[in-house]
Amino acid sequence: MPLVVPKLRAYFDGILGNFSVERSAFACIQTSDLSSTNRGLVVMRALPQNFQRWLKLTFARDPAQDQRTRRSQGVVHGTITAVVGRGLGVLVSLVTVPLTIGYLGGERYGIWVTISTFLAFLSFTDFGVANSLTNALGRAYGEGQREVAARYVSSAFCVFCLIAALLAGAGILLAPHLPALFFPNLQSGSTRAEVAPALLIALVIFALNFPLLITNKVLAAHHENALANLWAIAGTFANLLAILAVIMCHGGLPWLVLGASGMGLLTNLACAVWVFAFRKPWLRPTFAQLDLAAIKDLFSVGWRFLVIGAAWMVNSETDNLVIARCLGAALVTPYAVTFGVFANATLLQTLAYPSLWPAYTEAFAQKDFDWIRRTFRTHLKLSFLIAFIVVAFLIIFGRPIIRLWAGETAVPPFATMIWMGIWSLMLSNLYVASCLLNATGHLKGMTIYGTITAVLNLALSIIFAKRYGISGVIAGTVIAFALANYIPTFLETRIVLRKFKPERRIEK
């Protein structure tokens, strides 16, 4: 025990800086005759050094000249705008969900949600090229190779256009037949008549959005994810206006899909025009810069991202299916609600991920290993600390909160809360490690133990569900990840970090 306390103290000091700084400084400020400007300077100097650094990164207005500072600013600004965007999205949902449920009714609203879920699964049809493009642009930007970046952008754009054409064609052919497959038990004839047009509109708009994926990748590679998030916020408000307009005009389900998805498409198109016409004109996609070697490279890496994503989808989306099959659909509710509540413990990590990934990739290309190690350690500590605080709060107060928010039928057993807490803590660390491995191209290991985890997770969840109920399902997930994913991931991360030999970083 005597050794534990100093270690814990050192751990938290490493995260938050030395908070025992100059308490007397603040007392002197209150009793001295310093001007307000000088008081501000004294306050800044009295703050912990790490906290001062994050304040400067957060509120800096002028573009940073130093590459390290520019990366860090991009991560901080991208994460902050993502948090703001998510918060506004939640507020918009609080308005639109009850409005659309009341307007469409339970059956048609369920159709809308099912269509959205189906489109989420179709995101795999990019074959991992979008993530592969992130790494390619990060390397090119880090090495100052504009021409290489332009070839990758044009090549990826052509690939996405081809995929979009295939998706749109498949949607036109299959949309009339999908309602019978997805919704065989529809009672209302008028609702049945709306499903096929709504599916067709959703599939075509989804396809048209595919080529626009490159816009966010370009901004992220230049550490301007904050701009992408601001455009996404604009899209959120455009969707709100479209939904309100359709409801006021008494449009049906197809019009609602067209209004909400169509406004999102127009926002993405406006963002693409702004980026390639004004912000980054040298990256504008052209047929002349199509490079077959670049396409081959994108697919050679992309298939691994595809496998990793598919394995993760199995790991994250099969629990509800196992519960419905083994325990009954009624028990899906407490599990799904609890899972969603505990997702808040890792919300910040998921929002920081898109900004950290290209920053790691650029630093890796420039051999700025010191920045990578320092950022990884800080991210790991902060991630675990934030998750630990949220998890502790939810384990203590989560069940009363769920009872008040969703009703008695959504309250899970206490054992489920404990296992969910353990899962969230593991996930907070896995996000940090996987971000580094993805960004630096260390994908082979994740494809292997990600697949093994998916199989083991499904098997254990089924076995434990029959014996321990919904607590057994999440327990199976935790055990599978601990054995087949968590330990291998951090062993590989440790090996990767040790390979990063200290070198003088490149200054441009």
Side-chain angles (χ1 to χ4, degrees), residues 122-123 125-126 160 163-164 167 206-214:
L122 288 182
S123 62
T125 52
D126 77 332
F160 289 147
I163 294 174
L167 282 174
F206 178 82
L208 294 176
N209 263 309
F210 239 92
L212 304 178
L213 287 173
I214 61 171

Side-chain angles (χ1 to χ4, degrees), residues 421-432:
I422 298 172
W423 166 243
S424 297
L425 294 177
M426 290 175 56
L427 199 58
S428 70
N429 287 341
L430 282 172
Y431 278 142
V432 178

Side-chain angles (χ1 to χ4, degrees), residues 198-273:
L199 272 168
L200 177 60
I201 293 170
L203 287 169
V204 170
I205 292 177
F206 178 82
L208 294 176
N209 263 309
F210 239 92
L212 304 178
L213 287 173
I214 61 171
T215 308
N216 286 353
K217 300 303 180 183
V218 167
L219 291 174
H222 290 81
H223 312 304
E224 295 177 341
N225 232 11
L227 296 176
N229 292 333
L230 292 177
W231 277 99
I233 290 172
T236 299
F237 284 110
N239 288 345
L240 173 62
L241 294 176
I243 291 172
L244 294 177
V246 171
I247 291 175
M248 291 177 62
C249 296
H250 304 288
L253 179 61
W255 282 103
L256 201 61
V257 172
L258 177 62
S261 303
M263 291 304 295
L265 174 64
L266 290 177
T267 304
N268 292 338
L269 182 60
C271 177
V273 170

Side-chain angles (χ1 to χ4, degrees), residues 315 319 335 415 418-427 430 449-450 452-465 467-489:
N315 284 317
D319 285 355
Y335 188 91
I418 296 296
W419 283 108
M420 286 283 186
I422 298 172
W423 166 243
S424 297
L425 294 177
M426 290 175 56
L427 199 58
L430 282 172
Y449 45 76
I452 294 173
T453 302
V455 175
L456 183 60
N457 178 23
L458 188 59
L460 289 180
S461 294
I462 292 173
I463 294 171
F464 290 170
R467 186 165 184 176
Y468 303 109
I470 63 173
S471 300
V473 176
I474 186 61
T477 299
V478 169
I479 294 172
F481 265 85
L483 296 177
N485 199 302
Y486 190 88
I487 295 175
T489 295

Side-chain angles (χ1 to χ4, degrees), residues 9-30:
R9 182 176 180 180
Y11 176 80
F12 286 104
D13 282 348
I15 300 173
L16 303 175
N18 183 14
F19 275 96
S20 61
V21 290
E22 276 87 46
R23 293 179 183 172
S24 59
F26 289 101
C28 291
I29 293 171
Q30 294 176 353

